[in-house]
Amino acid sequence: MSSSPAGYSSLPPYIGAGDDSGVLLRIKSRTESVFPTRRSWRELLSHPSSYNFPDGLADLSARLRRNLSYFRVNYAMIALVIVFLSLLYHPISMVVFLIVLVFWLVLYFSRDEPIVLLGRAVDDRAVLAALAAVTVLALVLTSVWLNVAVSVAVAAAVVAAHAAFRMTEDLFLDEDEVAEGGLASVVGTRF
């Protein structure tokens, strides 16, 4: 059995068909590993005291940048759900969307390491943008462009509203995220 790279855990061994606790542990472990960078929904939809109007354009810009980076996976999931709901009465488009959703799961939500293309690591934001473009293009080609346009606009408005009003003072990133330009905690530091 090969060992896992540092920082990544493997699934627990399968105990047996008659042991329900082993199966549940395996499902829980797999679910946690499928969404490694997703923030908890409780953190996303935190206490109402975590929301207020930005103080100005600079504060609005900083909040949008920080929240869009911090909750990127959650926002992508919200946008996909909104697009999915807009396609409920269009079965062909729904099938196309589900096929594209498989690409989202494989290329964005369930990978532990960056995608390497031509010997270079592809940035997570580039993968997000490419998958969003493929999703919109695939759905527009199924003649539901108006539904797609409206649902993307609604998703953008929902995400932008949350990102603009959610305060960032209680968000903390680990060292890797800080290195990528994310929000750093300054609690306990001296100036």
Side-chain angles (χ1 to χ4, degrees):
M1 181 176 215
S2 64
S3 64
S4 300
Y8 296 100
S9 62
S10 62
L11 293 175
Y14 181 68
I15 308 270
D19 188 359
D20 289 338
S21 64
V23 172
L24 294 176
L25 182 61
R26 184 178 174 92
I27 290 170
K28 180 181 179 200
S29 175
R30 181 65 185 149
T31 303
E32 289 172 353
S33 69
V34 166
F35 302 109
T37 58
R38 179 185 63 84
R39 307 297 178 183
S40 74
W41 293 106
R42 179 172 289 165
E43 184 178 10
L44 180 81
L45 303 170
S46 62
H47 192 271
S49 65
S50 294
Y51 297 90
N52 68 5
F53 288 100
D55 293 332
L57 194 55
D59 187 32
L60 173 66
S61 175
R63 284 186 186 191
L64 286 172
R65 189 175 55 257
R66 290 175 182 158
N67 284 330
L68 288 173
S69 175
Y70 191 78
F71 293 115
R72 180 175 38 226
V73 173
N74 298 76
Y75 289 154
M77 294 171 114
I78 290 168
L80 287 172
V81 166
I82 291 172
V83 171
F84 177 81
L85 292 175
S86 76
L87 298 173
L88 286 177
Y89 295 106
H90 302 279
I92 303 270
S93 299
M94 183 69 76
V95 170
V96 169
F97 180 78
L98 292 175
I99 291 169
V100 172
L101 184 62
V102 169
F103 287 106
W104 276 91
L105 290 172
V106 170
L107 297 174
Y108 192 71
F109 293 125
S110 66
R111 63 186 168 85
D112 291 330
E113 298 176 3
I115 295 174
V116 177
L117 186 63
L118 302 174
R120 301 185 80 184
V122 178
D123 184 45
D124 191 42
R125 292 170 290 214
V127 174
L128 178 65
L131 285 170
V134 166
T135 303
V136 170
L137 181 66
L139 293 175
V140 167
L141 292 176
T142 61
S143 300
V144 292
W145 67 270
L146 184 60
N147 277 16
V148 172
V150 169
S151 64
V152 167
V154 167
V158 167
V159 167
H162 182 272
F165 294 116
R166 174 73 163 83
M167 294 188 309
T168 58
E169 286 78 23
D170 60 342
L171 304 180
F172 302 101
L173 302 178
D174 62 18
E175 290 176 10
D176 295 333
E177 293 167 315
V178 171
E180 293 175 0
L183 174 67
S185 171
V186 292
V187 176
T189 59
R190 294 182 185 179
F191 295 100

